[in-house]
Amino acid sequence: MRPEPAFLLHKRPYRETSALVELLTLHGGRVRAIAQGVQRPGSRSRGRLQPFAPLHVTWVGEGELKRLRLMESRGAVALLAGEGLLCGLYANELLARTLPVELPVAEVFAFYASLLEALPRPGSRAGALRRLEFSLLEALGAAPRFVEAEGGELDPQARYVYDASCCAFRPGRPGLDGRTLRLLAAGDWSAPGLAGPAKAVARAALAPLLGSRPLRSRELMRQLAAKR
């Protein structure tokens, strides 16, 4: 196979000198693989296989667990710190937890690459995260539909809560007002006052996909916020 663009989502030791890795790849989606010898002292691959570092990889194997054959750097690692780093860790954890193995998600890959470019800039983080989350929901067939649960248009004066069972909204409080939801449907999340509602809708839509086990990255974000 031709080398494929990829990013590391997760890595843990495997046996003495290898690692089990989760990769987000351009055409292969999420790939689980063994990186042989990458934990060996002096291994050149060890320095390349880092979070937020763009890679070119190839792999072999018929089952869900592959074996990496080639791993090359294709650019500089995104230098993240503080909140930007935690947002990057959140994105990695989210994708590793929700993406099925080998589901092609080229658009998710593109939004992830854009996110890494945005994370060093505080004003760009929220919008980039929402675009990644909504592209992920679209790929998984769970994207919110900005209509009432029965299919009718949202009433700008009513308040609604998200119903994940139908990926739409039902009247309820406290909820979000229909006018705000209609603005979100237009995709202009940069408008004043929409950052919070967009985050709330994304979190409600992602909750069933994540299950009851909390995201470690969210807990780290809460701890960081508490120290401010």
Side-chain angles (χ1 to χ4, degrees):
M1 67 179 297
R2 291 182 177 181
E4 186 162 331
F7 290 97
L8 175 70
L9 298 178
H10 183 70
K11 177 178 71 173
R12 63 184 176 90
Y14 178 73
R15 296 180 177 171
E16 293 185 1
T17 61
S18 300
L20 285 174
V21 298
E22 302 262 359
L23 300 168
L24 176 66
T25 69
L26 176 58
H27 299 296
R30 181 169 70 92
V31 171
R32 299 179 65 242
I34 298 172
Q36 292 180 316
V38 75
Q39 300 288 88
R40 186 181 297 118
S43 169
R44 287 185 298 175
S45 296
R46 184 172 187 169
R48 298 177 189 141
L49 193 60
Q50 300 295 329
F52 320 122
L55 302 167
H56 273 130
V57 300
T58 63
W59 61 88
V60 294
E62 298 299 324
E64 283 195 358
L65 185 62
K66 311 299 184 183
R67 179 169 59 85
L68 289 186
R69 291 194 64 183
L70 171 73
M71 182 171 49
E72 298 177 338
S73 173
R74 62 180 180 90
V77 62
L79 298 177
L80 305 177
E83 185 180 80
L85 174 60
L86 292 180
C87 289
L89 294 175
Y90 162 75
N92 284 2
E93 189 176 10
L94 176 67
L95 296 175
R97 284 269 299 270
T98 59
L99 276 178
V101 173
E102 298 182 72
L103 173 70
V105 285
E107 189 169 90
V108 174
F109 184 95
F111 279 117
Y112 179 86
S114 296
L115 172 68
L116 295 188
E117 295 179 2
L119 288 181
R121 306 188 302 272
S124 302
R125 290 169 189 159
L129 277 172
R130 298 296 85 78
R131 285 187 284 275
L132 175 66
E133 290 169 335
F134 277 87
S135 71
L136 172 63
L137 288 164
E138 184 73 36
L140 298 178
R145 297 180 301 117
F146 289 90
V147 296
E148 291 190 346
E150 291 74 22
E153 290 188 3
L154 297 170
D155 180 349
Q157 306 302 319
R159 299 193 73 84
Y160 295 91
V161 294
Y162 186 70
D163 184 346
S165 67
C166 59
C167 300
F169 294 83
R170 296 187 184 277
R173 291 182 177 273
L176 297 169
D177 64 89
R179 176 183 174 277
T180 295
L181 292 173
R182 290 172 73 160
L183 289 173
L184 289 177
D188 184 13
W189 304 331
S190 61
L194 290 188
K199 181 178 180 179
V201 172
R203 180 166 290 195
L206 288 166
L209 304 176
L210 290 167
S212 59
R213 181 161 57 95
L215 289 170
R216 175 166 170 72
S217 50
R218 279 185 184 163
E219 179 57 34
L220 292 174
M221 287 181 187
R222 281 192 288 268
Q223 292 175 9
L224 178 63
K227 292 179 180 178
R228 292 177 175 175

